[in-house]
Structures are given as structure tokens and as C-alpha cells.
Amino acid sequence: MHAGFSGRTRQTPVSRFSDGELLRLITSEDDKDIRNLFAEARQAREKYYGTGVYFRGLIEFTNYCKNDCYYCGIRRSNAKLDRYRLSPDEILACCRAGDSLGYRTFVLQGGEDPWFSDDRMVEIIAAIRREFPEHAVTLSIGERSRESYEAFFQAGANRYLLRHESASEAHYAKLHPPSMSLAERKRCLWHLKEVGFQVGAGFMVGSPFQTPEHLLEDLRFIEEFQPHMIGIGPFIPQRDTPFGGEKSGSLALTLKMVALARLILPKALIPATTALGTIASDGREQGLKAGANVVMPNLTPTAARKLYALYDNKICTGDAADTCRYCLAGRIASAGFRPEMSRGDAAG
Ligand code: SAH
């Protein structure tokens, strides 16, 4: 239990894995070990979700950001990036386009953009909720006060993605400026849960300075926090950031982390991320085979996509929404899974 939350009741689950076993798997290069790990993860996911893969329509609605994360291409200090924000009407138009393509979850993601004040966000969420009463609305707009989260939830948002990024204090401090802290990130995550959101945590794999011990801490945090969703993707450099010259995280290690996350929280919703599809052409399919069960195709208008430049060479930035929808459905089917367009809440 970490400082500041000792008053809350929650169970600390006892992992089937010891630290030593997790570290052994994280660092293993033994093919048989890895094949077994993926097979077990696939089985765990099949037990709760079968072969279905849930679709979430991603709307990247602003690339303005007041933060300055060292890894992220839309950080405040990136003066080379043209900035955009979609208007509330444009966001609703994306939802309508998504709905007609069959999406039942909309994910509104953006930088931490003060233009989208609590009041504006509440209006947007309420408008989506009015028009699409049955759909899930997911937010991914960073750190806000507990009161803001409450207002978003009251307005009709259901889910919130906020990766913890790194569960090691020391490593977190190497990825973020001193104005940001892991303690604050975690406080936000707990608030989101208390407010009633289905919450997503997660981390990058292979980010600069990351060690196997840090990844172990990430898994232990996942186990403690018990998020409904876990976003895991490789770090990929973006040329106009302080980490622009660093190496990408590896496919093999990212897949192992996906599989371990699945085994630690078998009922979690785990995306095969766009970043995974960026470092290998079949990265997302491999993610599904390692235990992932969600994809997040892009609904952002094509003109804006290139500008949501979290990292270099991001895939699908030239495509239209229907292209992504059908391309992914095809990839999923040929990998032996079944595209599933229903709302897809976490298994109970
Ligand atoms: N502002 C929101 C959304 C951030 S973007 C928030 O703070 O939650 C969504 C995710 O993209 C981040 O959580 C981060 O893990 C990932 N990301 C950012 N830069 C990246 C990079 N260079 N490589 C891989 N993933 C990156």
C-alpha cells in the first residue's frame, strides 16, 4: 500500500508469480518459454472473451498539450508541430461517422489542452451521450482534479484511459519534467476508480532508461491497481523530442509484457496498440496472439492524423475511417480472431 492511500480498503491480490519468476520471463530469450507464455495468455483471454476482438473508435481531438513529457511528440516544447483542435461539432461528426461504421465505443484522446475546459468537455460528453445513449464514451485527456472527473462521469463518460507510464519513481522522473510526478498520476488513477469509471492504466515498453526491474514494478502496479484496461505499447522515438535519437522498444519484449499482463489480470481489456502495429507490420496481430483483445482504429479526420504525432512513422495516418475499420477487421479475421463491434465492457 503506498503512502496517502492507507485509509482505502482494497485487496492486495497475491500473484501466482514471484518476482524472480517474472524477472526470468521478462528477460528470457528462450523460444519455448515464450511460446508457452503466449499460449497460456491466449487461453486466459479465451476463457473470458473467446476469440472476439473489440473495436474502439479513436478520435484524436487536440494535439495542444501543456505538458512536456520527454518522449512525446505533442509535448509543449515541440515548436515544429502544427497544432490543431477539432471543434465540438467536428468531434460529434466523427462519432456519427464511427456509429455508421458500427462502432459502439468512442475514445476521445488528446493532449492536456486547457481550451477543453471542464465545462466544454461536459458539453461535448453530454452531446455525445444524448445522441448515442447506448454507446460507451471513453476519455483519455490526462490529469485533472477529482471534481473534474466527477463532472465528466456525471455527464455520461464511462471509461478513462490514463497510462501510469512507469511505476518506478526514479524511472518516471527520467521520462517527465520535474513538474510531473508518479504520485500525482497514481492519485488521478485512484480518483478515477473511486468516481466509478472503468479505468485503463499502462506503460511503454523499451522507453529510455527502462530496466527489467522497472517492468516488474509496472506489473506489480497493475496487479495492485486492478485496472479494467491495460495499454501496453513499445516506446517509439519522435524526432523533435529529447528522446528523438533513442531506440524503439522491441516487439518481442512488448509481446511478453502483453502476455504477462493478461495472465496477471485475465479479465482485462488489453489493446493491440497502434504503436505495436508501427514497429512491425503484423505487430497488432501478434499482440492478439499474445493475449490482447481490443483494437483502436482511428476515426480522426485524415487531415489531422499526421499532426497527432506522438512518435515517428505512425501507421494509418493517410487512411480514412472506413479504410481502418475494414483493414483491421480483415487482419483480425485472418489471424484467426473475430471482429466484435459491441460495446465490450470488461468481463464481470
Ligand atoms: N494526454 C493524455 C494522452 C496521452 S497520448 C494522457 O496524458 O494520458 C497516449 C499515450 O501515448 C501516452 O499515455 C503514452 O504512453 C503514449 N506515447 C506517447 N509518446 C509515445 C512515444 N514516443 N512512443 C510510444 N508511445 C507514446
Side-chain angles (χ1 to χ4, degrees):
M1 215 160 259
H2 59 91
F5 295 99
S6 48
R8 297 180 192 177
T9 46
R10 63 170 189 271
Q11 287 183 315
T12 305
V14 179
S15 177
R16 52 176 280 205
F17 294 109
S18 66
D19 285 359
E21 178 67 355
L22 283 175
L23 278 173
R24 192 185 70 73
L25 289 167
I26 291 169
T27 52
S28 172
E29 290 184 7
D30 181 285
D31 274 354
K32 191 159 155 263
D33 260 1
I34 296 169
R35 266 201 313 277
N36 287 342
L37 176 65
F38 292 174
E40 240 195 289
R42 263 202 311 279
Q43 258 172 25
R45 152 265 163 75
E46 261 179 55
K47 179 165 171 202
Y48 295 106
Y49 294 105
T51 55
V53 176
Y54 292 108
F55 276 59
R56 319 300 197 194
L58 179 64
I59 305 169
E60 299 157 334
F61 69 98
T62 172
N63 73 352
Y64 283 88
C65 193
K66 65 181 166 66
N67 284 338
D68 223 10
C69 309
Y70 301 148
Y71 46 84
C72 184
I74 67 170
R75 64 198 301 267
R76 179 182 71 213
S77 297
N78 183 0
K80 294 208 172 144
L81 187 65
D82 288 332
R83 303 285 172 165
Y84 75 92
R85 54 174 71 94
L86 302 186
S87 68
D89 282 346
E90 287 171 318
I91 296 172
L92 264 174
C94 289
C95 293
R96 286 181 198 124
D99 175 62
S100 58
L101 288 169
Y103 290 99
R104 295 297 173 265
T105 295
F106 304 126
V107 182
L108 270 54
Q109 188 179 86
E112 293 201 13
D113 178 357
W115 191 89
F116 287 98
S117 61
D118 289 358
D119 287 349
R120 284 199 172 113
M121 282 312 301
V122 162
E123 270 180 44
I124 293 165
I125 296 161
I128 299 174
R129 181 51 63 235
R130 268 194 304 277
E131 196 167 330
F132 302 103
E134 307 296 326
H135 292 44
V137 177
T138 305
L139 301 177
S140 178
I141 54 173
E143 299 175 17
R144 300 238 179 169
S145 68
R146 191 193 162 113
E147 291 68 37
S148 310
Y149 290 152
E150 259 160 16
F152 301 158
F153 190 74
Q154 292 305 326
N158 317 90
R159 305 181 187 144
Y160 204 106
L161 307 177
L162 186 77
R163 291 188 180 176
H164 63 277
E165 312 294 3
S166 170
S168 146
E169 296 275 3
H171 184 230
Y172 190 95
K174 297 211 163 179
L175 303 180
H176 301 93
S179 56
M180 297 179 73
S181 75
L182 177 60
E184 185 55 30
R185 199 85 179 163
K186 285 188 177 175
R187 199 162 17 248
C188 289
L189 282 165
W190 287 111
H191 284 160
L192 286 164
K193 241 194 183 181
E194 287 168 3
V195 165
F197 281 100
Q198 294 171 44
V199 184
F203 52 96
M204 288 176 292
V205 177
S207 58
F209 310 107
Q210 188 180 61
T211 65
E213 287 75 17
H214 295 146
L215 289 170
L216 170 63
E217 286 188 70
D218 287 319
L219 292 176
R220 290 299 186 212
F221 176 67
I222 292 289
E223 186 174 37
E224 178 199 1
F225 182 66
Q226 304 256 313
H228 304 82
M229 301 163 284
I230 313 171
I232 299 174
F235 159 76
I236 303 172
Q238 200 286 341
R239 66 177 79 83
D240 302 313
T241 63
F243 293 160
E246 303 287 333
K247 282 199 324 240
S248 289
S250 80
L251 175 68
L253 185 55
T254 308
L255 294 173
K256 274 199 279 184
M257 298 311 293
V258 166
L260 287 169
R262 168 63 64 204
L263 291 177
I264 287 172
L265 292 187
K267 296 183 185 174
L269 291 155
I270 303 180
T273 56
T274 306
L276 202 46
T278 298
I279 57 165
S281 60
D282 63 345
R284 284 171 299 181
E285 291 89 324
Q286 293 204 52
L288 299 174
K289 291 178 182 171
N293 66 332
V294 172
V295 289
M296 298 172 68
N298 210 320
L299 285 178
T300 312
T302 312
R305 286 186 190 198
K306 274 195 184 54
L307 302 177
Y308 198 76
L310 304 179
Y311 47 80
D312 290 334
N313 306 317
K314 196 168 148 221
I315 50 171
C316 313
T317 52
D319 295 340
D322 56 342
T323 314
C324 288
R325 152 82 175 79
Y326 293 107
C327 159
L328 261 172
R331 284 167 174 266
I332 286 165
S334 48
F337 298 93
R338 184 177 48 82
E340 172 61 62
M341 297 306 291
S342 66
R343 212 179 112 119
D345 292 291

